[in-house]
Amino acid sequence: MRPSPVPAAAGVYRWHFEQSSHPDLDAGRLLYVGIAPRFMANRTSTQNLRKRVRYHYRGNAAGSTLRLTLGCLLGLELRLVGSGKRMTFGKAGETTLSQRMADNARVCWIEQSEPWDLESQLICQLDLPLNLDQNRHNAFHSRLKEIRAQARQRAR
């Protein structure tokens, strides 16, 4: 694996995209924030910024809400895999999505020991249309939920 500039630390990451994935979203703007690790009251997470950012770039839709959202917005076909609960875009779709992200996605981060507090503040204060959790106030929220629900329904 190539060396990563992303630290293996807790923090908040922000995603910008040079090309829009939906006509209602402007290119080049901040669209999503995430955290690593997420808050876990009764156990310790093994996640960190490096692992999460890498997974968003190269993982699959079952493990990345960002990948799920982008793939749905791009019209990739969501599919049931394994026992029937997990959904991904299949090998070809995930490869297409990974390439699109490599070409268009830019991520930056800030180390933060308890990132969930900062994430909540950012979601409350900024226009982050690809964040669903804690973001019902966003104008794109209901449209995004509908697009994702339709993709899941077609997959079933």
Side-chain angles (χ1 to χ4, degrees):
M1 232 182 284
R2 290 181 294 177
S4 173
V6 183
V12 177
Y13 49 89
R14 305 179 328 173
W15 290 86
H16 304 255
F17 297 87
E18 292 180 6
Q19 282 188 351
S20 177
S21 53
H22 190 274
D24 293 343
L25 302 175
D26 293 332
R29 60 166 290 198
L30 174 63
L31 293 175
Y32 181 84
V33 298
I35 61 172
R38 65 187 170 101
F39 179 76
M40 302 175 89
N42 43 347
R43 65 184 171 100
T44 303
S45 174
T46 62
Q47 288 296 313
N48 61 51
L49 287 169
R50 183 179 300 153
K51 288 178 182 178
R52 280 311 290 159
V53 168
R54 183 175 284 144
Y55 196 87
H56 284 311
Y57 268 120
R58 292 188 277 207
N60 63 55
S64 166
T65 191
L66 177 60
R67 287 182 71 86
L68 174 64
T69 291
L70 290 173
C72 289
L73 290 175
L74 294 168
L76 298 176
E77 183 185 351
L78 196 59
R79 301 173 180 183
L80 288 169
V81 294
S83 63
K85 290 201 174 195
R86 293 186 33 171
M87 294 188 186
T88 74
F89 297 108
K91 186 171 175 51
E94 295 289 352
T95 299
T96 297
L97 185 54
S98 292
Q99 188 59 56
R100 178 159 174 108
M101 289 183 72
D103 293 343
N104 294 294
R106 302 297 175 256
V107 64
C108 55
W109 57 87
I110 184 170
E111 291 184 41
Q112 181 85 13
S113 60
E114 295 181 349
W116 41 89
D117 293 330
L118 180 56
E119 179 192 38
S120 294
Q121 291 172 20
L122 292 172
I123 290 171
C124 182
Q125 295 171 6
L126 300 175
D127 179 19
L128 299 165
L130 301 190
N131 281 83
L132 287 175
D133 188 39
Q134 307 176 62
N135 204 21
R136 283 197 167 94
H137 64 275
N138 191 280
F140 196 64
H141 186 272
S142 61
R143 181 72 184 120
L144 180 55
K145 280 191 71 139
E146 178 185 323
I147 290 167
R148 286 175 39 144
Q150 288 172 351
R152 284 190 179 106
Q153 186 61 39
R154 284 189 301 270
R156 289 185 189 104

